[in-house]
Amino acid sequence: MSNSHCTDLLERIENRRCTVGVIGLGYVGLPLIDAFANAGFRCMGFDVDKSKVDSLLAGKSYIKHVSHDKVQAWLDKGLFDATAQMSRLDEPDMLLICVPTPLDDARDPDLTYVIETCNKIADCIRPGQLVVLESTTYPTTTRDVMVPILERNGLKAGVDFFVAYSPEREDPGNPDFSAAGIPKVVGAINDESLQVASKLYQSAVAGTVPVSSCEVAEAAKVLENIYRAVNIALVNELKVLFDQMDIDVWEVINAAKTKPFGFQAFYPGPGLGGHCIPIDPFYLSWLARKQGLNARFIELAGEVNRSMPAYVVSRTSSFLNEVSKPIRGSKICMLGVAYKKDVDDPRESPSFDLIKLLLAQGAELTYSDPHVPKLPRMRHYDLPAMDSQELTAEFLASQDAVLIATDHTDFDYDSIVEHSPLVIDTRNATQHVTANRDKIRKT
């Protein structure tokens, strides 16, 4: 039976007669819909947050790099529908799962959203559907967690329906890489599932990289993020060392990256942010413990990276002491609460740790972020309500220090340095400022 389902799906993909369902309409799901809609596929979006569904059906986006015009174009072409009704999961031919996979309080993987989604799919799955997990997770999740849930009503994975894993590869804020422009790694539970999933993604993205199993695809995604986490931890540790030696770590990195082979530049910062690097490596360290092993590089990298907000606050205290001011009572404006430049995504941003630590030490704290007009509520932080401040000359002059936590392009760094009494730069954002450099402290 699987061969007939496979042939039918391949033909429908080729002719754009299939519907692609995306579950989770966030920073991964919406760009994925854009890629498939641009390739001529009808798409359905599913999300338990009805406000998101209503916004999209009104042609309004809530994510900066997916514009209102894009959403309206999907609607105008009849290529998009959105719903909070999970009973409609039997309508699409393909279901792509893009739900969060956070860590719990013990820093173990929390698959609650994946499991809940799979249970909803299992309630109405029909023969011939393809189910793909895109959420980052540890190897064996697709085969050992997803498949048993999907099979609970008697249909057989790989026979009656198809299952694959293809990890998301989003780079928000990077205009050089859209969802459609990034090759997709695809692993599946059998050959037919791999064939169908690969054909689907080939129709909408720059290319696919088929691998031998779901486990290889899952491990590849975790490796990508571990690679970044470990190397960022290395330069963060070097930053602390070089600060003590009065060596500019940014100049060191810029010199080293002139080597045309054997070196890739990574940069320090006030901590790690985003939905990947602060979280995903610990899926593998958890799995290692389950195997009786210790993933020492991963754990050490996490320790170094988690220590950076406290280090930045310590350096801020030292810089204020140079001008005879304590943190307590000092007016400090933090520039940027998004986790990276030019995005509106605050997930896991180190800025929240900085805010928490500075408030605990008595700072009179404000923030400015052109992409985040109100400080969002974050589940691990109990912070006061704040609005983004306009960086007027008068406001900057009224501060005791400005702390650059996110190096947004929209910030006028020349003006910030000119009008601020002290600028603490954690991102080397002021490297091209030529005037008033005596006000700048890098950390």
Side-chain angles (χ1 to χ4, degrees), residues 227-237 266-267 272 277 305:
Y227 174 74
R228 293 162 66 198
V230 169
N231 281 281
I232 292 170
L234 172 63
V235 293
N236 275 332
E237 191 166 64
F266 289 83
Y267 298 97
L272 287 184
I277 308 179
N305 290 326

Side-chain angles (χ1 to χ4, degrees), residues 16 31-32 34-36 38-39 41 134 166-167 169-170 176-186 197-210:
R16 304 297 192 269
L32 196 60
D34 188 48
F36 280 106
N38 288 339
F41 289 91
E134 289 218 357
S166 182
R169 276 178 162 174
E170 274 291 297
D176 296 329
F177 294 108
S178 65
I182 304 172
K184 292 277 286 177
V185 173
V186 184
S198 295
K199 178 70 172 179
L200 175 67
Y201 285 113
Q202 285 169 2
S203 303
V205 303
T208 61
V209 183

Side-chain angles (χ1 to χ4, degrees), residues 29 43 126-127 145 148 158 176 207 270 281 283:
C43 299
R126 59 174 171 79
V145 178
D176 296 329
Y283 299 155

Side-chain angles (χ1 to χ4, degrees), residues 379-421:
R379 63 176 183 162
H380 294 303
Y381 300 92
D382 184 18
L383 301 176
M386 295 186 197
D387 293 330
S388 177
Q389 301 296 306
E390 183 180 358
L391 298 180
T392 64
E394 293 75 18
F395 173 78
L396 291 168
S398 73
Q399 301 301 296
D400 294 300
V402 170
L403 173 61
I404 301 173
T406 313
D407 51 336
H408 291 309
T409 303
D410 288 348
F411 288 136
D412 184 344
Y413 294 106
D414 288 293
S415 175
I416 289 166
V417 173
E418 178 184 356
H419 297 292
S420 303

